[in-house]
Amino acid sequence: MTDEPVAPPVLVSACLRGVPCRFDGRDKAVRGVDEALAGREVVAFCPEQAGGLGTPRAAAELVGGDGYDVLDGRARVVDVNGVDVTEAFVAGARRALAAARRAGCAEAVLMPRSPSCGRGEVYDGEFRGVLVPGDGVTAALLERNGIAVRRAPGV
C-alpha cells in the first residue's frame, strides 16, 4: 500500500458543477472543470445566492473598480436596474471564505468574468459586454486570505 498525497479540497463556483444558480437561472457546467478536478473533494458554492440574492436575478457588474476596490469601499456592485447589491456580494464572499476555511480549501476554481467569482477580468460596469482587468468580490477576498484562485478551464 502506498501513501499517495491527497490534494486538499477545492472551492468551486456552484454553477460550474451544474447548479442552476447563475443570474439567468442557468448553470455553466463545463466538462473541462470536472476533468481538472477529478479525484478531488469539491466544495460547490454560489456566493451570490449565499449573500441572499435570488435566482434568477438582474445581471450585476462592478462599478468604480474591481472586487478589491469593493472590499475597500471604493467601488460598488450595481445591477442592470441601478440597484446597489454590494452588501449581498460582500456577504456572499465572506460566506464563501468561511466555507473554504471549514473544508480546508487552499484553492478555488471560479467562474470567469463574474462580479463575484471573476479572476483576471470582469465586465466594465456599463453593461455593454466590455471586459477589463480585475477580479470579482469573492475572488479578491479569497486571494487576500491566502486561497489561490484560478479561472475555470474551458469556460
Side-chain angles (χ1 to χ4, degrees):
M1 182 175 195
T2 62
D3 290 327
E4 292 183 32
V6 176
V10 59
L11 185 79
V12 179
S13 296
C15 61
L16 295 170
R17 301 293 292 171
V19 177
C21 58
R22 287 172 35 97
F23 76 94
D24 58 8
R26 299 188 314 207
D27 68 58
K28 191 68 173 181
V30 178
R31 194 167 93 196
V33 172
D34 288 338
E35 291 169 0
L37 300 173
R40 296 192 62 188
E41 179 185 344
V42 171
V43 177
F45 198 89
C46 177
E48 292 175 29
Q49 283 186 335
L53 298 174
T55 302
R57 58 190 164 274
E61 293 189 5
L62 299 160
V63 176
D66 74 351
Y68 292 98
D69 296 311
V70 169
L71 294 172
D72 294 338
R74 294 188 303 264
R76 311 296 293 159
V77 186
V78 178
D79 76 18
V80 69
N81 300 313
V83 176
D84 187 322
V85 290
T86 304
E87 287 185 29
F89 274 73
V90 172
R94 288 181 180 144
R95 289 183 176 113
L97 175 61
R101 284 180 169 163
R102 270 193 311 277
C105 299
E107 178 184 16
V109 175
L110 302 179
M111 179 66 198
R113 302 174 297 277
S114 159
S116 289
C117 299
R119 178 70 169 133
E121 60 183 8
V122 292
Y123 290 103
D124 71 353
E126 296 188 25
F127 298 94
R128 53 192 182 141
V130 175
L131 293 168
V132 294
D135 294 334
V137 179
T138 298
L141 187 63
L142 294 173
E143 280 281 338
R144 275 194 174 166
N145 285 275
I147 296 174
V149 176
R150 63 184 172 106
R151 279 178 73 125
V155 181

